[in-house]
Structures are given as structure tokens and as C-alpha cells.
Amino acid sequence: MAIGNSAHTTLPLNQRRFNMTHPSSYETLSVRSDRGVLFVEMFAPPMNLLGPALVRDLVSVIENLQSNDSHRVVVFSSRDPEYFISHVDVTKVAEYREAAAKLTGEASIGLLFRHLSAIDTISIAQIEGRARGAGSEFALACDMQFAATETAVFSQFESALGLVPGGGGMQHLVRTVGRGRALEILLSANDFPASLAEHYGWINRAIPAVDLAKFVESLAMRIAAFPSAAQAAIKGRVNAVALASPDDFRTDSDLFGKLVREPAVQLRMKRAVQLGFQSREPERNLGELLDNLDD
Amino acid sequence: MAIGNSAHTTLPLNQRRFNMTHPSSYETLSVRSDRGVLFVEMFAPPMNLLGPALVRDLVSVIENLQSNDSHRVVVFSSRDPEYFISHVDVTKVAEYREAAAKLTGEASIGLLFRHLSAIDTISIAQIEGRARGAGSEFALACDMQFAATETAVFSQFESALGLVPGGGGMQHLVRTVGRGRALEILLSANDFPASLAEHYGWINRAIPAVDLAKFVESLAMRIAAFPSAAQAAIKGRVNAVALASPDDFRTDSDLFGKLVREPAVQLRMKRAVQLGFQSREPERNLGELLDNLDD
Amino acid sequence: MAIGNSAHTTLPLNQRRFNMTHPSSYETLSVRSDRGVLFVEMFAPPMNLLGPALVRDLVSVIENLQSNDSHRVVVFSSRDPEYFISHVDVTKVAEYREAAAKLTGEASIGLLFRHLSAIDTISIAQIEGRARGAGSEFALACDMQFAATETAVFSQFESALGLVPGGGGMQHLVRTVGRGRALEILLSANDFPASLAEHYGWINRAIPAVDLAKFVESLAMRIAAFPSAAQAAIKGRVNAVALASPDDFRTDSDLFGKLVREPAVQLRMKRAVQLGFQSREPERNLGELLDNLDD
């Protein structure tokens, strides 16, 4: 599986955005390669749900990054300006978990995301739109997170459905934002705009939407030009302290897997879907929607 | 000991505030129950010192929260707009510690507070006025902290008296605000306004006083309506990383207990009391008062 | 080696600044003693490189602080308003490491800095100008960091040269600012102004340059007047959680030592020096200079 290669393109950014028609073997991703940076744009209509197709493609990208050293940095963004990754597709839990197992041998999104955090390739999440549930967890699994001030929204809403974040969000948040803020995020199931997410330390920085892509590209290319051995050593030393163990990820993932099969949780998810959960328009204000699950 | 129950009251907030005359067996607390949330208002004149009476009542509230599952969230506030909890009553150390032992079997405020952090009930501190010493530690023991921007003041001033925080403040602060800021807070013994406390990560957020009660009530009720099993799992997973061990709390508590008996510290506390320590008016600016202990 | 003693001076601050002509056995430091606080001003022209002379003097200061209890707090500042400590002198790695070994028995800047973090004396970094590489790590080794909003700049630029921070910066940053921000700082090799460093939690606070010296002096004297036994206990309890082990510091230090001898890194450092690295003027914008190493 070859990664699309348009190295050293000189198209302006806005043209690149709508011009990624080069052949690619990905169903949900467009990729562009430029001076050691792989730009990966996610597009899984209608709302970038993390289902089997997107997981399968992310597994392929990671395998490609590891199989050769042509890309030192990978940037993940979304073609959909309203949804970075909305969350997992709750109607296809078994399928997307199975797709994740192809890389790690375990049917767990948490362990897939941890794998991304642990490889030498440096990953940057460039977030426009909603990053809820596994979308937030994917961003946290990246090495850095930069989000559009005006449009990015973060949430770990699992508790509203009777679930826990199974993709590592609890592990990252408690270590990054502290106990009180982690519990607020995890128990309130609320939407957090980019500015508050930055204030809490959930992400590196909120950046005006108009500047975001240029900021991330410039940072990614700068990093890609520096020597790799030291970078791998740095990432290893940071992960030794800040990246939770596989066991911690596995425990969270198993908790999710156990709760998601409970009849009461199934009923609650069904009720949520009836109210618009997993639909593009109603999820714009998912935080509010979740307030009405008991009505 | 029954918790006062006025469930589903529809009184506006400002009337509720001065209308809590229903029978209660608490000496220093007024309680109100509403849709799964227990609102606990502290009132231990003249200045909400944490003495034997307040500790006894807090022990009872915690026992009640644990004895049945009718309340999923507890909100702690103060009826005194200038003092949330001022600090421990240094003239009654043996007595209030003994009162704490009723719950945990150990005469330690730190282990009492840790007990609150560890139970399934979700606790929110709604802070107006001064929260110094054990007052700050009690807020930190709650799962979240929201404070009035204009009036809330935080301080761990123990070192000015030759003491250490014995109620868990060192454990929480070093994990939440980092080494440099924790040492500044603990060694400066200074007053930190709510905005700076928020900036340092000491609390979740500073909120305009006029909006605080409504914000906290809304958040508490939202959380109380979500399924409890997942919430308990989340709190357990967060505590596994962010809540220090009983041994760590015990060590800090024992350090306090040892230092507080030292003649030099006793003398310093006596001098402080002469200057106004433990009196309502002089403690408004305790941070400054402590500068003059050697004059 | 005696520490200069001008206790209870009443000179205004701005006169003190240019009036430190009292005899001192330090080559690169001016010291002033006032009510239990030792003010140490670094001056190693042309740009406060951390070379053998400055390391030797810092070792002496630490030894003096430990040999008697006349100073409870030490404040480190720079006489050069543009450079706090620029970074290590890469042309004298063996020599400055050997100078560090005099205190700790190990030729490692990281273990020297960790020693400062672990002693009872409370240390405050008062930062004007650039604190890059080991300059940032020295500030992080102090117990608190206050920086001039207008002039202070922080950077861990080692990765641009193919190196890792060997002085403890990785250990402090990952514990203080979280995984995402630590990786951004360490991998971008960028310059961070004081306000952003404060926002990330790299330092305690950015303070307007005109107020900085007065703020720090007032804080230092307040702390120096409080009882020492409790302060030592507090610092010990905080370090037990937040100060990485000697092994962690040693590993980072050894990584630096191994990488700095690699031919490719030597070549890269040589190229950097040709472009102005280790020169006062070109290093004003070191962040930009490092972008051009591959041209």
C-alpha cells in the first residue's frame, strides 16, 4: 500500500485542500507528502465517525509510517470543517475494534492509539470542528494538539451514555490537566470550546482558524528537518513518564467493552440515537442533547 | 441521622439560601436535597473555623452519603460569604482530629478528606470567601472546585507558623500545579485570589460571583442524571493516578501533628493569635498579618 | 571561600545593581546578602555561557549555602539583561562537566542542578533575557521561576543540533507542562516568550520587567523570615513527588554525553557556530537561526 506522494508541491494551501485527487488506496483518507511530513486528511462522510473504514485506514497509515523512514512527522486533519472525528460508531463496535487488532493484535482502540503515541514518527493533530469521545482521544494520542479557536470543540461525553472513555482519554487527561479538571471533563460530558480546552491544558494551543494550517505546516516542517535520533530519544524519555502503560490502556478499553454490552447502556444509546446521536445536524450541540436522555 | 430532604423544591435560589429552616440534626450545616444532589451549606460562626463541630458534621454527611444511594452529587458551600472554611481551629487540634477518627479510625484530617475523595459520591466545592489551610485542602479533596472570582481567596499558609499542610494539600497541589507553583504556594504562605488560583490550576475555574451558584447547580444536576456505574468507574480510574496513597496523606498528617506540638511553633501560633489570627476581621488579610510575626 | 556579606544594606535596588564591588572570590558572580537571602548575580561575558568558570562558581555557591545556615533563600539573576544563561559552552563540554563533578562526584550538569533542587535552601530564578538549553534547565532546577514579561525567552533547542537536554529539562517539563506541551517545547526547538512559558506552566509567572526585582526580593525576604524546619519538610515532600530520581537525571545526562560525541552532531554544531551560534548578536533570534542549519 503506497502513500500518495506529491512531495515539494508548491500549490497554495487553499488549493491543496480541494485538490487532493491523486490516486490513493485509502477509503477515508487523503494524503500528501512534503519534505518529510505526511499530511493526512480524514474524510469519512457524513460526519467522520470512527468506524471500521477509518480505523482500517489509520492502521494502514501507521504501518506505512513504521515501514520506512521517509516521513518524520505526520499531521492529521479533517476535510470536514465541522467534524474532526465525531466519536466511535456505536453501531459497529465489534467491527472497528477488529480493524484495530490488525496492528496491535488486540481489539482495542486504546491500544491502537497508544501505538501511535509510542512510535518514533512525530504526530500532530490539527483540529477543526468537533473532537468528541474517541476524536478527543485520538488528538490526545498525537504528540501535539493545535485547534481552531473558532470551530474546535472537545468533549469526553461517554459518561452520559453510561460508558467510560476506552481510548486512553482518562489516562492522558488525568496526567495533563490534573484531578479536578479531568473529573469535570469526564463527568460533565460537556462540550469544551478550544479556548477552554487550551486553558485546561487539554490541548497545546488554540489558534485562529485562518492561521492554523500554516502554523502546523511550518512547525511540522521545522521538526522534520532536525536530526531524528535525538528526537526519538526525546520522545522515548517523555513517554517513559507521561504515557500510561499498556495495562492502563487495556483496563480502560476493557471497561468500555464491558459497559457497552450492558442492556441499560444499550437502551440509553438507542434513546440517544433516536434523539439525533450519530446524526450530523443534532450533534452540533451534543452537549445539550445529552441533557434530554431521561425525558 | 437523617439528611434534610426538600427534594424537587422550586424555590428560586436566593430564597432557598435564607429559607433552610427545615429540621436538621447538624449543628453547623444546612442541607437541601434536590433531584439527586445534596446541597450542604456550612455555617460555623464566627468564621467557619474547622473545629470539632464542623468535622463531626462533615463526618455525618459523608456517612449518610455512603449509607444510601439517594444522592449522587454533593455540593459544599458556605453561608458566610467571606469565609468558605477559614482553616483548622488551632486551639482544638486534638478534639477535631478525634472527631475525624470516627469515620476513618485515624485521628487525621488528611485521611478524612481523602475518604471524601475516594467515595463514589461526586463532590463539588462552591467557594465564596477565604479558603485557607484546611479550607483549601477540603476544596482540593472535592472532585471539582469552582470559586467566586470577586471574593474567593486561597492560601496554604502553614509554613508561616512553622507547620506543614496536614490535610493533603501538598499531595494535591504538587500533582496539579507542578513543582514550582506548588513550592511558591506552600512556602510563600500568601493569599491567592481566585483568578490566580485558576491560572495556576489550583481550582477548576473562577466564575463571577453572581453566576456561581447557578453554574454549580446546573452542573451538579446534569451529572446526577447520568448513570452511576460508569461514573464510579471513571472516578476510580482517575483516583488511581491522581489521588495520593493513604500513606502519603498519613505522612503529611503526622508531620503536622509532630510540628504543632513543638514549643517554638506553639509560641509562634500564640503570637499569631495575639495579632488577630483566628479572629474574623484581622484574618481578612491574613497574608499580610503573617509578615509581622517576627516584629 | 567566603560569600560576600553586605547584610541589611539599604541602598535602593538600582544602585545595588551597579554597586557590587565588594571583594568576592567568584569569577562570574556578584553576591549580596540581606536578611537571610543571598542574591547571586551572574555575569560571564560576553553572553553568560555556562562554561567551566560559571559552573565552578555555582558549585562554590551551593557548597557555601550548605556549609552554614545563614541563608535560607538564594535568588539567581543575571547582570546581562539580554542573557540569563544562554546555554552550555559546546566547545568546553568536558571541562564544565568536570567542574560539576567537584560537588556531586559525577561529571553531569543534570546531577549538579538536581543537587540544587534537593538542598534545604530555597532557590528562586529571577529571569531577564534568554534562558535557553541549560539556562532553562537551571531555572527549572530552582524552586520557583519568575521572568520579565518583556525580555525573558525560554527554549530547549537541543534537538535542532541532534542533542537532548541533559540537564534535567525533560524531567521537569514533562511533569509540569504535560506530554503535548513538553513534546512541542523539546521537538520544536523554538523560542518561547515569557508569557507563553507562563501559560504553559514552564515558569511560575511572567512579571513586568520594571516590577520583577522588587517582587522577587519581597517574596524571598518573606520566605526567609518563616521557620526553616517546616520549609525543609515541605520541600522534601514536594520533591518526593515532583523531582525525578538521580537515575532519571543520569540517563538524560548520559544521552547528551553520548550524542554530543557523534560525528554528525559535531558537524552540525560546527555549522551552527559558523552561522552565529555561541555569538551574542546572532543568538538573539536563535530559534530562527536553527531553521537554516541545513541550507
Side-chain angles (χ1 to χ4, degrees):
Chain A
M1 187 173 292
I3 291 174
N5 198 318
S6 60
H8 293 266
T9 174
T10 53
L11 286 175
L13 258 182
N14 61 336
Q15 289 189 37
R16 283 179 204 155
R17 186 166 193 90
F18 302 104
N19 198 28
M20 291 189 298
T21 54
H22 52 74
S24 156
S25 47
Y26 299 114
E27 184 182 340
T28 61
L29 306 177
S30 296
V31 297
R32 175 173 63 90
S33 174
D34 192 357
R35 281 164 280 177
V37 180
L38 186 70
F39 293 88
V40 177
E41 201 176 60
M42 300 179 283
F43 190 57
M47 58 186 295
N48 277 6
L49 280 172
L50 190 74
L54 185 48
V55 170
R56 201 155 41 229
D57 284 348
L58 290 174
V59 164
S60 292
V61 164
I62 295 171
E63 284 176 339
N64 275 291
L65 289 168
Q66 290 196 268
S67 69
N68 64 74
D69 56 359
S70 55
H71 297 105
R72 310 278 312 291
V73 180
V74 57
V75 174
F76 292 100
S77 64
S78 166
R79 192 181 297 179
D80 183 336
E82 299 192 325
Y83 289 94
F84 178 72
I85 294 177
S86 46
H87 49 73
V88 296
D89 184 342
V90 297
T91 68
K92 296 179 183 164
V93 175
E95 294 92 321
Y96 73 68
R97 286 187 142 200
E98 206 45 57
K102 179 164 179 268
L103 185 67
T104 64
E106 297 189 51
S108 157
I109 290 297
L111 287 165
L112 169 63
F113 287 178
R114 190 187 186 281
H115 189 99
L116 174 65
S117 305
I119 62 174
D120 285 349
T121 313
I122 294 155
S123 49
I124 305 179
Q126 172 184 324
I127 303 137
E128 292 174 273
R130 291 149 190 85
R132 296 195 182 104
S136 156
E137 294 177 295
F138 177 73
L140 286 164
C142 290
D143 295 332
M144 300 165 227
Q145 304 81 31
F146 300 96
T149 308
E150 300 89 340
T151 72
V153 171
F154 295 84
S155 162
Q156 298 284 167
F157 64 89
E158 290 86 345
S159 66
L161 299 177
L163 296 167
V164 303
M170 294 195 287
Q171 299 305 319
H172 285 294
L173 284 171
V174 68
R175 286 169 171 80
T176 304
V177 307
R179 183 175 183 270
R181 289 174 175 176
L183 286 171
E184 180 193 353
I185 292 166
L186 295 165
L187 297 172
S188 77
N190 261 325
D191 288 337
F192 287 71
S195 57
L196 186 55
E198 170 186 301
H199 187 59
Y200 273 25
W202 194 335
I203 59 173
N204 285 50
R205 279 192 244 183
I207 292 184
V210 68
D211 301 325
L212 180 63
K214 190 152 174 268
F215 174 90
V216 169
E217 176 170 298
S218 167
L219 175 64
M221 293 204 170
R222 178 178 170 93
I223 292 175
F226 293 152
S228 60
Q231 291 174 328
I234 287 171
K235 197 168 161 180
R237 295 298 291 154
V238 167
N239 280 344
V241 178
L243 184 60
S245 71
D247 268 355
D248 275 331
F249 277 77
R250 196 175 288 119
T251 298
D252 293 358
S253 182
D254 290 350
L255 263 170
F256 175 89
K258 177 170 159 283
L259 288 165
V260 80
R261 287 192 300 268
E262 304 239 334
V265 174
Q266 288 281 335
L267 202 65
R268 202 164 171 88
M269 291 196 298
K270 197 175 160 189
R271 171 81 178 129
V273 169
Q274 286 166 350
L275 289 174
F277 182 62
Q278 304 229 139
S279 295
R280 185 176 179 88
E281 290 308 308
E283 276 212 14
R284 286 179 193 278
N285 296 304
L286 180 60
E288 288 178 32
L289 184 154
L290 296 170
D291 249 348
N292 303 315
L293 287 182
D294 296 304
D295 291 353
Chain B
M1 186 172 292
I3 292 173
N5 199 320
S6 60
H8 294 266
T9 176
T10 54
L11 286 176
L13 258 183
N14 61 337
Q15 288 190 36
R16 284 179 205 157
R17 186 165 192 91
F18 303 104
N19 197 30
M20 293 190 297
T21 55
H22 53 75
S24 159
S25 47
Y26 298 115
E27 184 181 342
T28 61
L29 307 177
S30 295
V31 297
R32 173 172 65 89
S33 173
D34 192 357
R35 281 164 280 177
V37 181
L38 187 71
F39 294 89
V40 178
E41 203 177 59
M42 301 180 282
F43 191 55
M47 59 187 294
N48 277 5
L49 279 172
L50 190 73
L54 185 48
V55 170
R56 202 155 41 230
D57 285 349
L58 290 174
V59 164
S60 293
V61 164
I62 295 171
E63 284 176 338
N64 275 291
L65 290 168
Q66 290 196 268
S67 69
N68 65 72
D69 57 359
S70 56
H71 296 105
R72 309 280 311 292
V73 180
V74 58
V75 173
F76 292 100
S77 63
S78 166
R79 192 181 296 180
D80 183 336
E82 298 192 327
Y83 289 94
F84 178 73
I85 294 176
S86 46
H87 49 73
V88 296
D89 184 343
V90 298
T91 68
K92 296 179 183 166
V93 175
E95 294 94 320
Y96 73 68
R97 285 187 144 201
E98 207 45 58
K102 178 161 180 270
L103 185 67
T104 63
E106 298 189 51
S108 157
I109 290 296
L111 287 165
L112 170 63
F113 286 178
R114 190 186 185 282
H115 188 99
L116 173 65
S117 305
I119 63 174
D120 284 350
T121 314
I122 294 154
S123 48
I124 305 179
Q126 173 185 323
I127 303 136
E128 292 174 273
R130 291 149 189 85
R132 296 194 182 107
S136 156
E137 293 176 297
F138 178 73
L140 285 165
C142 289
D143 295 332
M144 299 165 227
Q145 303 82 31
F146 300 96
T149 308
E150 300 88 342
T151 71
V153 171
F154 296 83
S155 162
Q156 299 284 167
F157 65 88
E158 291 85 346
S159 66
L161 299 177
L163 295 167
V164 303
M170 293 195 287
Q171 299 304 320
H172 285 294
L173 284 171
V174 68
R175 285 170 173 80
T176 304
V177 308
R179 183 174 182 271
R181 288 174 175 176
L183 286 171
E184 180 193 354
I185 292 165
L186 295 164
L187 297 172
S188 76
N190 261 326
D191 288 337
F192 287 70
S195 57
L196 187 55
E198 170 186 302
H199 187 59
Y200 273 24
W202 194 335
I203 60 173
N204 285 51
R205 279 191 245 181
I207 292 183
V210 68
D211 300 325
L212 180 62
K214 188 151 175 267
F215 174 90
V216 169
E217 176 170 297
S218 167
L219 176 64
M221 294 205 169
R222 178 180 171 92
I223 292 175
F226 293 152
S228 60
Q231 291 174 327
I234 287 171
K235 196 168 160 181
R237 294 299 290 155
V238 166
N239 280 344
V241 178
L243 185 60
S245 72
D247 267 356
D248 275 329
F249 278 77
R250 195 175 288 117
T251 299
D252 293 357
S253 181
D254 290 351
L255 263 170
F256 174 89
K258 177 172 160 279
L259 288 165
V260 80
R261 287 193 300 269
E262 304 239 334
V265 174
Q266 288 282 334
L267 202 66
R268 200 162 173 90
M269 290 196 298
K270 196 175 160 191
R271 171 81 178 129
V273 170
Q274 287 166 348
L275 289 175
F277 182 61
Q278 303 227 141
S279 295
R280 185 176 180 87
E281 291 306 309
E283 276 211 14
R284 287 179 194 278
N285 296 306
L286 180 60
E288 287 178 32
L289 184 155
L290 295 170
D291 249 348
N292 304 314
L293 287 181
D294 295 305
D295 290 355
Chain C
M1 188 172 292
I3 291 174
N5 198 321
S6 61
H8 294 266
T9 174
T10 54
L11 285 175
L13 258 183
N14 62 335
Q15 288 189 37
R16 285 178 204 156
R17 187 167 192 90
F18 303 105
N19 197 30
M20 292 189 298
T21 54
H22 52 74
S24 156
S25 47
Y26 298 115
E27 183 182 341
T28 60
L29 306 178
S30 296
V31 297
R32 173 171 65 88
S33 174
D34 192 358
R35 281 163 281 179
V37 180
L38 186 72
F39 294 88
V40 178
E41 203 176 61
M42 300 180 284
F43 191 57
M47 58 185 296
N48 277 5
L49 280 173
L50 190 73
L54 185 48
V55 170
R56 201 155 42 231
D57 284 349
L58 290 173
V59 164
S60 293
V61 165
I62 294 171
E63 284 176 338
N64 275 291
L65 290 168
Q66 289 196 268
S67 69
N68 64 73
D69 57 0
S70 57
H71 296 105
R72 310 278 312 292
V73 180
V74 58
V75 173
F76 292 100
S77 63
S78 167
R79 191 181 297 180
D80 183 337
E82 298 191 326
Y83 288 93
F84 179 72
I85 293 177
S86 46
H87 50 73
V88 297
D89 185 342
V90 298
T91 68
K92 295 179 184 164
V93 175
E95 294 92 321
Y96 74 68
R97 286 188 143 199
E98 206 46 57
K102 179 165 178 267
L103 185 67
T104 63
E106 298 189 50
S108 157
I109 290 296
L111 288 165
L112 169 64
F113 286 178
R114 192 186 183 282
H115 188 100
L116 174 65
S117 304
I119 63 175
D120 284 350
T121 313
I122 294 154
S123 48
I124 305 179
Q126 172 186 323
I127 303 136
E128 291 174 274
R130 291 149 190 85
R132 296 196 183 105
S136 156
E137 294 177 296
F138 178 73
L140 285 164
C142 289
D143 296 332
M144 300 165 228
Q145 304 82 30
F146 300 97
T149 308
E150 300 88 342
T151 70
V153 171
F154 295 84
S155 161
Q156 300 283 167
F157 64 88
E158 290 86 347
S159 66
L161 298 177
L163 296 167
V164 303
M170 294 195 288
Q171 299 305 319
H172 285 294
L173 284 171
V174 68
R175 285 169 173 80
T176 304
V177 308
R179 183 175 183 273
R181 289 173 174 176
L183 286 171
E184 180 192 353
I185 292 165
L186 295 164
L187 297 172
S188 77
N190 261 326
D191 288 337
F192 287 70
S195 57
L196 186 55
E198 170 186 301
H199 187 58
Y200 273 25
W202 194 336
I203 60 173
N204 285 50
R205 279 192 245 182
I207 292 184
V210 68
D211 300 325
L212 179 63
K214 189 151 175 267
F215 174 90
V216 168
E217 177 170 296
S218 167
L219 175 64
M221 294 206 167
R222 178 180 171 93
I223 293 175
F226 292 152
S228 61
Q231 291 174 328
I234 287 171
K235 196 168 160 180
R237 295 298 290 155
V238 166
N239 280 344
V241 179
L243 184 60
S245 71
D247 267 355
D248 275 330
F249 278 77
R250 195 175 289 118
T251 299
D252 293 357
S253 181
D254 289 350
L255 263 170
F256 174 89
K258 177 170 159 283
L259 288 165
V260 80
R261 286 192 301 269
E262 304 239 334
V265 174
Q266 288 281 337
L267 202 65
R268 201 163 173 90
M269 292 196 297
K270 196 175 161 189
R271 169 82 178 130
V273 170
Q274 287 166 349
L275 288 175
F277 182 61
Q278 304 228 140
S279 295
R280 185 178 179 88
E281 291 307 309
E283 276 212 13
R284 287 179 191 278
N285 295 306
L286 181 60
E288 288 178 32
L289 183 154
L290 295 170
D291 248 349
N292 303 316
L293 286 182
D294 295 305
D295 292 354

